[in-house]
Amino acid sequence: MDVIHSVAALRERLERVPNNVFVPTMGNLHQGHIQLIDIAKPRAACTVVSVFVNRLQFGPREDFERYPRTLQGDFDQCRAAGVDVVFVPDEREIYPEPQTFVVEPSDLEHILEGAARPKHFRGVATVVLKLFNMVRPHSAIFGKKDYQQYIVLRDMVRQFALPIEIIPAETVRASDGLALSSRNQYLSVEQRKEAPRLYAILCKMRDELQAGNREIQRIELEGMAELARHGWRPDYIAVRRQADLQEGTPDDTHLVIVAAARLGSTRLIDNLEVELC
Ligand code: PAF
């Protein structure tokens, strides 16, 4: 496994094996990332993982400074998972000058996660476009845990006609249902016990929808009220269309319930796809 820090060295290394598949990450790898790598591996001769905590996608009061950085453990996990190249640029390598050109995801930037985290998706899309230009993969894997991020990047690739296949991967969960996330480690022992409630509520909402209940607004409000009763501060729970995360019509059958809520000072997100017949 090669650990590479500069774009020049990355280009030189990848010239030898141009057939590559890419897993962008911010490090602090867990089983969710390993699943992305496992999906990537059989698709190309060379699997590239990037580890870069991207300041541009964090708001001024968010956790950029304390975001867990565990490089040595990340390298060990990448090696064990059979990664060929780990790209670990520093900030000057990705942003050698102020980033005055950005990718603006328009509508998706202003709803749900976009509304709660202004400029977040612009930061994500901008860094991912830059990473794509550096790695030049034929495919890239993104977890559906960050559902809106996946939709933003899928649409970016399509609208800019980038020759890259975006492959979504299912969310990996702990045995009690909590979606794996680097931010779970901010939770206290008590909060960690409470945290699976978010997914449990999504499952309950899915069951109601599948049982034929179409009172979407009431279902959403009940979900949020239940979280609030247990000490959470929900940002949103919303039933949306899978295709574009807009509000659906009664005829839509491919839905996703997306949610974000704070437990103490930790903000957790999750989602659940719902198929109606
Ligand atoms: O999902 C993440 O870890 C990040 O948002 C990404 C895609 C690596 C961009 O910084």
Side-chain angles (χ1 to χ4, degrees):
M1 184 181 86
D2 294 328
V3 175
I4 293 179
H5 297 274
S6 75
V7 177
L10 180 74
R11 292 223 159 106
E12 201 187 307
R13 168 66 175 81
L14 294 180
E15 248 163 42
R16 283 188 268 141
V17 194
N19 168 12
N20 77 71
V21 55
F22 183 35
V23 180
T25 81
M26 296 205 299
N28 193 238
L29 303 186
H30 51 65
Q31 206 43 47
H33 297 105
I34 302 306
Q35 183 203 229
L36 305 183
I37 294 168
D38 289 344
I39 292 173
K41 282 234 22 116
R43 292 176 179 267
C46 177
T47 300
V48 182
V49 170
S50 63
V51 176
F52 178 66
V53 185
N54 173 37
R55 188 189 293 274
L56 216 63
Q57 70 190 70
F58 288 78
R61 284 192 298 279
E62 293 186 10
D63 55 346
F64 174 76
E65 297 299 342
R66 72 171 180 140
Y67 196 85
R69 289 156 171 89
T70 51
L71 263 189
Q72 197 47 55
D74 295 344
F75 294 157
D76 294 345
Q77 292 194 67
C78 282
R79 196 170 291 109
V83 170
D84 301 285
V85 174
V86 185
F87 179 44
V88 200
D90 68 14
E91 220 162 313
R92 275 163 312 179
E93 200 62 26
I94 298 290
Y95 301 117
E97 56 192 274
Q99 188 69 35
T100 52
F101 288 83
V102 292
V103 180
E104 193 61 76
S106 75
D107 287 358
L108 285 164
E109 170 91 314
H110 305 294
I111 60 169
L112 306 167
E113 274 308 277
R117 303 182 68 187
K119 301 193 182 163
H120 170 66
F121 288 118
R122 161 212 277 222
V124 170
T126 302
V127 79
V128 170
L129 180 63
K130 294 191 81 158
L131 290 166
F132 281 171
N133 284 332
M134 293 164 182
V135 176
R136 281 177 285 171
H138 61 61
S139 318
I141 324 289
F142 292 92
K144 283 202 274 187
K145 154 86 169 35
D146 297 301
Y147 206 89
Q148 192 168 353
Q149 167 173 285
Y150 155 61
I151 302 285
V152 164
L153 297 173
R154 181 203 64 187
D155 290 359
M156 176 182 83
V157 162
R158 194 178 59 229
Q159 292 187 15
F160 286 123
L162 303 180
I164 299 170
E165 186 187 358
I166 299 294
I167 298 160
E170 295 306 322
T171 302
V172 179
R173 298 182 181 280
S175 55
D176 58 8
L178 178 65
L180 299 193
S181 161
S182 300
R183 292 187 167 103
N184 292 350
Q185 62 197 265
Y186 301 153
L187 298 169
S188 68
V189 174
E190 280 312 303
Q191 288 168 341
R192 175 61 189 82
K193 283 190 204 146
E194 170 61 24
R197 189 179 308 280
L198 183 58
Y199 180 59
I201 288 175
L202 297 184
C203 292
K204 200 158 121 188
M205 293 173 69
R206 174 203 54 201
D207 293 348
E208 279 203 57
L209 290 165
Q210 288 182 334
N213 188 340
R214 292 292 176 277
E215 293 175 274
I216 303 266
Q217 225 184 353
R218 189 188 58 73
I219 295 175
E220 291 171 347
L221 288 173
E222 275 180 13
M224 287 200 275
E226 187 170 343
L227 280 180
R229 272 198 304 279
H230 290 89
W232 297 65
R233 280 174 295 132
D235 277 346
Y236 59 83
I237 299 189
V239 179
R240 294 295 169 100
R241 290 201 296 240
Q242 284 175 25
D244 54 10
L245 296 182
Q246 301 299 326
E247 285 174 26
T249 66
D251 295 336
D252 284 312
T253 53
H254 305 300
L255 303 176
V256 58
I257 314 171
V258 284
R262 260 173 220 284
L263 189 52
S265 60
T266 305
R267 189 167 180 278
L268 299 179
I269 62 170
D270 203 349
N271 66 79
L272 185 61
E273 288 179 327
V274 182
E275 304 296 339
L276 302 178
C277 34

